[in-house]
Amino acid sequence: MHLRDLPHPDPGVPDVRTGGAFLRWLCRQQLGGQLKALAWGLVNIGAIAASPLPVGLAVQAVVDRDGGRLLLAGGLILALGALVAAGDTMLHRAAVTNWITAVARMQQLLARKTTELGSVMTRRVAAGEIVTVSTGDLEKIGWFVEALSRFAAAALITLGVSVALAFYQPELGILVAVAVPVLALAVLPLLPPATRRADAQREKAGQATELASDTVAGLRVLRGIGGEELFLGRYRRASQEVRKAAVRSARMWALISAVQVLLPGLLLIAVVWYGARLALDGTIAVGDLVTLYSAVTFLLFPLRRFEEIAQAYSFAKPSAKRTARVLAQHRPAGGPATDQGTTPTGALHDPVTGLTAPAGRLTAVVCGDPDAAGRLAERLGGHPPQDGEDGEDGEDGAGLSVVLGGTPLDDLPRDTARRAVLVQDKDPMLLSGTLGELLDVPASGRVGATDALAAAQCGDVLTALAQSSADDSGDPMHTYITERGRSLSGGQRQRLALARSLVTDPEVLVLDEPTSAVDAHTEARIADGLRALRTGRTTVVLTSSPLLLDRADQVVFLQEGKAVATAGHRELLHSHPAYRAVVTRETDPEPALSTGQTEETA
């Protein structure tokens, strides 16, 4: 494959059963590129391996004062030099191409998986691990893919040279043929401890990365409570642990390198000593001794390739295991996929909690537990727990799909399910770009940006953006918003995210605490605007705010992961003490209030 053909039209379906299975699958996908690199490797290393022959011929020609053979030897050296240069250039190009195409394939697989799971990805896999996989792990796997063809070429040429030496000079050739495999395998006992130390280093590095990302994400909060130094101290300790682990790992790899230098050096000394005795006895000619010495010296070069592939594999295997674990995350299917081009309509029902949101109405859900609300929002978006994950009630909720209008979301194609149900979690992401680009999302076309911004009460945000507009027009739609909207307050970010969700106008909109960062007056206006703009559409709001609850068509109260009451907000305040305790933050709820008291409180 050529680099100009990237990205891959289809990265394929990886084998993610184990890290080794994933590596084998990846190599099979690039079989053509590996064979091409192997061929150029054979040319390059084969030319290097053949160089001792003309060198020995030239030395013997000088000893015998034979000008013709000296010219022949010079011509052979020039030809082999040209082959070495051409082979090395093309081998490097082919190997690097394999590295780039392998990394591109894995990046596409990760991007596809992230698109499939969305924000659920970081709930199932730690953010630090995802960062480690998408950066360092892909690089290490790519290194193994790149080194594989060089190792295969070196192994084949080494085998050929060892056999040739055994026939060329049996006395020394057999010694070399036996010693080379021993030298190549001498480092195998050192690889397991080296791999364990490298794994420990990567694990600590991943933990430090996760700690750093969490600290950066909460930097504003940390500054507000004066906790910067505390978390800085934690990161210092974590980085020192990474440094110590890296030093321990480097020491082991230095020992492996030393062994790879010492043992071949001892072999070379033995060959020179024994060959010199044979030359003095007249058993072999001086030119033959030079040829043998050059051949043994060459064999030290492939041994470096053996060390490289051993090191690359020891790094790539755990990296492939982590990558396979991330790629193994999936959106479970409750049955065979159906070919539905239209978005289903109707009531939204969750069989795990018993929650039912009637079509075209605004349903508020009170959980009392923010984590339970987040899991419920995730499931309503078509992401039920995978096998082994717990449902909200502590029981296994795997395989129970949310149903929309009688159709399980897991039976729908992914794109159709995404059009049907949109989930905005409690910490929505704002990407960098202009406000116009932020609101340029796939939408039904029924709701315009102006109406969505008005319903989300973004008037003050638009004014602030207009004042900071880079052009002379003062148009807030052209104002650049920094990554994650860090130039805005929490409430402003939350309202812009709500406006983006309203523009999309899905059949079902699920909002998890959409007004937690705004004041009560703004929250009341948002509740009115949301109700008016979503008329005729199904909306589910997970909240405990009385202002939003009072404007909902119905309120569903969940306890221990199950829907235990469904009614209006005021009715539940009057009849359900546990509900009243959650909504009013009472620590010791009293018996049911009178109707008059309820009305006054509401």
Side-chain angles (χ1 to χ4, degrees):
M1 183 175 187
H2 298 286
L3 296 183
R4 61 175 175 267
D5 298 326
L6 294 177
H8 299 277
D10 180 12
V13 179
D15 186 345
V16 294
R17 293 173 298 173
T18 62
F22 178 71
L23 284 178
R24 289 191 294 272
W25 174 85
L26 190 63
C27 291
R28 286 197 302 271
Q29 299 304 305
Q30 299 187 247
L31 185 59
Q34 292 290 350
L35 292 177
K36 182 179 179 181
L38 174 61
W40 284 114
L42 292 175
V43 172
N44 173 243
I45 302 177
I48 296 174
S51 298
L53 288 175
V55 171
L57 181 63
V59 171
Q60 193 61 44
V62 171
V63 172
D64 297 339
R65 299 181 182 277
D66 188 338
R69 279 194 297 166
L70 185 60
L71 288 175
L72 175 61
L76 289 175
I77 291 175
L78 287 176
L80 291 175
L83 286 177
V84 169
D88 186 53
T89 300
M90 299 307 297
L91 170 62
H92 180 74
R93 288 184 53 146
V96 171
T97 298
N98 288 336
W99 185 93
I100 294 175
T101 53
V103 171
R105 186 183 301 276
M106 291 184 288
Q107 286 174 334
Q108 287 182 246
L109 291 171
L110 287 172
R112 185 173 67 183
K113 185 59 62 177
T114 302
T115 303
E116 176 186 342
L117 295 180
S119 62
V120 180
M121 174 72 85
T122 54
R123 297 192 183 109
R124 295 179 177 174
V125 183
E129 183 170 0
I130 296 175
V131 172
T132 302
V133 168
S134 59
T135 54
D137 283 337
L138 297 194
E139 182 179 353
K140 292 178 177 64
I141 296 172
W143 177 28
F144 172 75
V145 171
E146 177 193 6
L148 189 60
S149 54
R150 290 198 298 266
F151 163 72
L156 291 176
I157 295 300
T158 299
L159 178 63
V161 170
S162 299
V163 173
L165 285 177
F167 283 99
Y168 182 67
Q169 283 294 339
E171 296 89 345
L172 290 176
I174 294 177
L175 171 64
V176 173
V178 172
V180 167
V182 174
L183 296 180
L185 300 176
V187 298
L188 288 183
L190 300 177
L191 287 179
T195 302
R196 286 194 295 270
R197 292 189 181 189
D199 288 344
Q201 175 196 349
R202 284 189 291 271
E203 182 180 356
K204 291 183 182 298
Q207 292 172 353
T209 301
E210 184 173 358
L211 178 61
S213 63
D214 290 344
T215 302
V216 171
L219 193 57
R220 283 191 174 186
V221 178
L222 291 176
R223 286 175 175 169
I225 63 176
E228 296 171 85
E229 289 300 324
L230 174 63
F231 276 82
L232 184 59
R234 289 185 182 179
Y235 183 74
R236 283 199 188 102
R237 290 192 293 272
S239 63
Q240 287 302 312
E241 290 179 0
V242 174
R243 182 189 62 81
K244 292 176 182 178
V247 170
R248 293 186 71 248
S249 178
R251 285 173 179 168
M252 184 58 68
W253 289 111
L255 176 60
I256 292 175
S257 298
V259 170
Q260 289 284 11
V261 172
L262 176 63
L263 296 183
L266 294 176
L267 173 63
L268 187 60
I269 292 173
V271 168
V272 171
W273 177 78
Y274 188 55
R277 290 178 60 87
L278 292 178
L280 290 175
D281 294 340
T283 305
I284 62 174
V286 175
D288 294 336
L289 177 60
V290 172
T291 299
L292 282 170
Y293 172 80
S294 301
V296 174
T297 304
F298 157 76
L299 289 175
L300 304 184
F301 169 72
L303 289 177
R304 286 292 181 182
R305 299 301 185 195
F306 298 157
E307 177 190 352
E308 179 190 25
I309 196 64
Q311 188 172 1
Y313 180 73
S314 67
F315 277 94
K317 187 175 180 181
S319 294
K321 182 179 180 181
R322 274 194 298 271
T323 305
R325 184 166 60 247
V326 173
L327 294 177
Q329 305 297 321
H330 63 280
R331 181 172 178 265
T338 57
D339 184 16
Q340 298 193 22
T342 58
T343 302
T345 59
L348 183 71
H349 176 68
D350 175 27
V352 175
T353 61
L355 165 68
T356 298
R361 301 183 69 187
L362 173 59
T363 299
V365 181
V366 178
C367 292
D369 179 5
D371 292 334
R375 291 193 297 269
L376 175 59
E378 176 182 327
R379 193 167 53 253
L380 292 177
H383 298 284
Q386 296 194 81
D387 296 336
E389 293 186 30
D390 290 336
E392 292 183 19
D393 57 353
E395 298 178 358
D396 189 8
L400 296 178
S401 172
V402 169
V403 179
L404 177 60
T407 303
L409 288 183
D410 291 337
D411 287 355
L412 295 173
R414 185 185 64 193
D415 293 341
T416 304
R418 287 289 175 86
R419 288 195 304 268
V421 182
L422 173 66
V423 177
Q424 177 182 306
D425 61 23
K426 60 172 58 69
D427 186 22
M429 175 73 69
L430 296 183
L431 300 178
S432 59
T434 65
L435 178 58
E437 292 171 340
L438 175 69
L439 300 178
D440 184 16
V441 292
S444 67
R446 191 177 74 97
V447 178
T450 303
D451 294 335
L453 290 167
Q457 299 300 308
C458 294
D460 63 318
V461 184
L462 296 178
T463 301
L465 291 177
Q467 292 174 352
S468 60
S469 177
D471 55 23
D472 297 332
S473 65
D475 187 352
M477 303 301 287
H478 296 161
T479 303
Y480 189 83
I481 299 174
T482 57
E483 182 185 1
R484 289 181 174 267
R486 290 193 173 95
S487 58
L488 305 172
S489 68
Q492 290 173 330
R493 289 196 301 270
Q494 196 172 59
R495 283 176 282 160
L496 286 180
L498 176 59
R500 179 179 59 186
S501 299
L502 294 174
V503 166
T504 304
D505 188 40
E507 182 64 30
V508 178
L509 177 60
V510 180
L511 303 172
D512 186 4
E513 294 290 354
T515 59
S516 59
V518 300
D519 60 79
H521 296 289
T522 304
E523 185 177 29
R525 292 194 295 270
I526 290 176
D528 293 332
L530 176 65
R531 182 183 178 91
L533 198 64
R534 292 288 297 173
T535 300
R537 296 287 201 183
T538 306
T539 307
V540 180
V541 182
L542 285 80
T543 183
S544 58
S545 166
L547 292 171
L548 285 173
L549 295 172
D550 192 45
R551 286 159 175 79
D553 294 316
Q554 71 169 21
V555 178
V556 180
F557 180 49
L558 270 63
Q559 276 188 307
E560 297 182 354
K562 297 295 182 181
V564 296
T566 301
H569 168 59
R570 296 169 184 258
E571 181 181 346
L572 288 175
L573 276 178
H574 176 74
S575 62
H576 210 294
Y579 173 82
R580 184 170 63 251
V582 172
V583 174
T584 63
R585 274 69 170 180
E586 293 179 358
T587 56
D588 186 17
E590 298 178 359
L593 299 173
S594 66
T595 305
Q597 289 175 314
T598 303
E599 294 292 334
E600 183 179 353
T601 302

